[in-house]
Amino acid sequence: MRSWTDALRFAFQPVVNLTTGGIAALEILARPETGDILAEARRNPELDGRLAVLALRAAARQETLLPLHINVFAATLADLGGIGALPGAIREAGRMPWEVTLDVVPPYTHVPHRALLEAVATLRGQGFRISADGIGDGDVPLRLLTDLSPDLIKLDASLLGRPAAVRAMRTLCEELGALLAVEGVETESQYAAAFSAGARLAQGELFAPPARIPVADVYVPPRLAAAAPPPHSGPSVREFIRPAALLPVTASALQVRALLTGSPEVSGVLLVDQAGAPVRSVHRSRFLLSMSGRYGHALYADRPAFKLGDAPRTVGVDATAWEVLDVVAVGGPDRTSDDVAVVDRLGRCVGVVRLADLVRALAETRVEEAAGLNPLTRLPGSDAITGETDRWIAEGRVFALSWLDIDHFKQVNDGAGFAAGDELIRAVGQALQQAVAGHARVGHIGGDDFLVLADEEGLGRLVTDVLDAPWSAGGRPVTLSLATVVCGPGGVADHREAAASLAPLKKAAKALRGASWVLGRAGLPGYEIRRGSGACPAQAGYATAEP
């Protein structure tokens, strides 16, 4: 008698790391040739659990080392018995639970939330990772999503057309310590939107369609330089995580050798304890050199690989690329090519980063930054500030965007000479950098115009140390004008709207006498006169902005 499993096949779709362009994991998708077994599984937790086990076994037959994503309906998890056979199947496949991410799939309606949360807590205790799937196209309540606190949130690509929703989800991911992924990416414009929104992972037809045999390579469009991470803080290590080749700490040298010779793309193996924490790091070249040397096989083949490994170098998932370089610099020169293990808050390995990926990304960032520097002040131009403004908007931050320039600068150049004018511009630029060092960004956008992006609390030093300071050029006194727009979450959609809100404030500041400062708030009429035209520095005036 023909079984329903005879008509069931599985396809593999890569989950792509948008920074490295590499495959971070494989999602296993059930593809029944006849019938609607998935609709039945939605109503039957036991059947859904059997599908999860079959998906795992299908991956085991492919002998892939990549982490796996397995779909499980929310109702199945709430009925924990539905996947009771999965942990045993993982052990049989020679895998560890932390190599498997359970994609929790809608619907959530009629699913007992407390039972679901308790099941997720149990699975986490066993080492599984949890992903909230279909966000934006499903029925997951926002409160339940935060209570789940998933390791990964998969956003439906349809939400990319609603930037405010994507920004809100990115902020939520940062609060939960989760990665943001976008699924269903089909076009290069969707890819660009996903990357700009801060997504670290993505999957879809653009990169590679689901296939019966896992693909080795994916298509990733060239990345826009404007979307590069902010150079002053360094990109997050999360952007560079690659899958790790893991073996238990008890593995023999022969087992490690078999893994390395069968997987030429693997640069090293991490030996982990029962909890998934890295114990030793086995470097490919050094290990194979030891094994291939005279008497190497006889000496090491049956011995624990632990003896041929080194102490692992680890960083947390919240580290920056610069912190990884610090870790690499501490070791000896013979270990500069070693992978660095990335561990979660429980010390479990979530992947590795390669030095080459970091150096390439940081070098690109520095080249892009240097290309945009103003030759007079060595400050970045408007592109760097507008790009950072968009990132702050995406993060939902409250910020102040200020435009500062020198009053009557043409007269300064005509009266004191262009050399004195250039020196004045350099001095103002240096003063701005010193006044806001560490918590703001300063850009020189040409001539005597500067842009400053800062927290509202950081405006005090900007005003007292720069605007209120005495300035002169060739013995002639000089004053400055400052216009500031404060933008809150949802106040502006992007840097263009922020600049449009700032333009009338600059015009108002330039119309005042002496050192002037005008402050407005995005979305609200009018502005405060805080300096200029006889206004007392301690007492703000108020005016209506011109249309």
Side-chain angles (χ1 to χ4, degrees), residues 9 55 83 91 103 176 212 233 301 343 422 442 495 504 507:
R9 299 292 182 268
I83 60 166
R91 288 192 298 271
D103 285 358
L176 297 177
R212 293 287 176 85
S233 60
V343 297
D422 286 351
V442 179
H495 71 271
K507 182 178 179 181

Side-chain angles (χ1 to χ4, degrees), residues 221-358:
R223 186 168 25 135
L224 299 176
H232 67 288
S233 60
S236 168
V237 72
R238 293 172 183 264
E239 302 174 25
F240 304 96
I241 294 178
R242 290 177 177 266
L246 304 177
L247 284 176
V249 69
T250 55
S252 68
L254 200 57
Q255 288 175 291
V256 172
R257 181 182 181 184
L259 190 156
L260 291 175
T261 54
S263 306
E265 75 282 0
V266 173
S267 55
V269 176
L270 287 173
L271 305 179
V272 296
D273 63 17
Q274 290 184 342
V279 177
R280 302 294 278 181
S281 173
V282 180
H283 184 268
R284 180 187 188 90
S285 298
R286 292 198 300 273
F287 174 83
L288 293 178
L289 185 62
S290 297
M291 289 289 289
S292 61
R294 192 177 185 183
Y295 309 122
H297 189 274
L299 285 172
Y300 301 118
D302 295 325
R303 298 184 65 187
F306 183 95
K307 300 289 186 180
L308 293 174
D310 300 289
R313 294 190 288 192
T314 63
V315 295
V317 292
D318 296 321
T320 67
W322 294 110
E323 290 172 310
V324 178
L325 293 183
D326 289 340
V327 170
V328 173
V330 171
D334 60 323
R335 297 196 63 191
T336 54
S337 61
D338 286 19
D339 294 341
V340 176
V342 182
V343 297
D344 63 14
R345 284 163 287 189
L346 299 177
R348 301 175 303 185
C349 180
V350 298
V352 295
V353 291
R354 295 180 179 176
L355 182 62
D357 289 338
L358 299 183

Side-chain angles (χ1 to χ4, degrees), residues 465-540:
D465 293 3
V466 182
L467 184 66
D468 292 343
W471 294 98
S472 64
R476 299 168 176 265
V478 174
T479 59
L480 309 179
S481 292
L482 178 68
T484 301
V485 60
V486 178
C487 304
V492 291
D494 54 26
H495 71 271
R496 297 176 183 84
E497 286 192 14
S501 299
L502 187 58
L505 304 179
K506 180 192 176 188
K507 182 178 179 181
K510 297 298 291 182
L512 300 173
R513 295 190 302 273
S516 60
W517 180 24
V518 166
L519 183 144
R521 298 185 181 273
L524 297 178
Y527 54 84
E528 299 175 68
I529 300 174
R530 296 198 169 185
R531 298 287 191 279
S533 193
C536 175
Q539 182 180 4

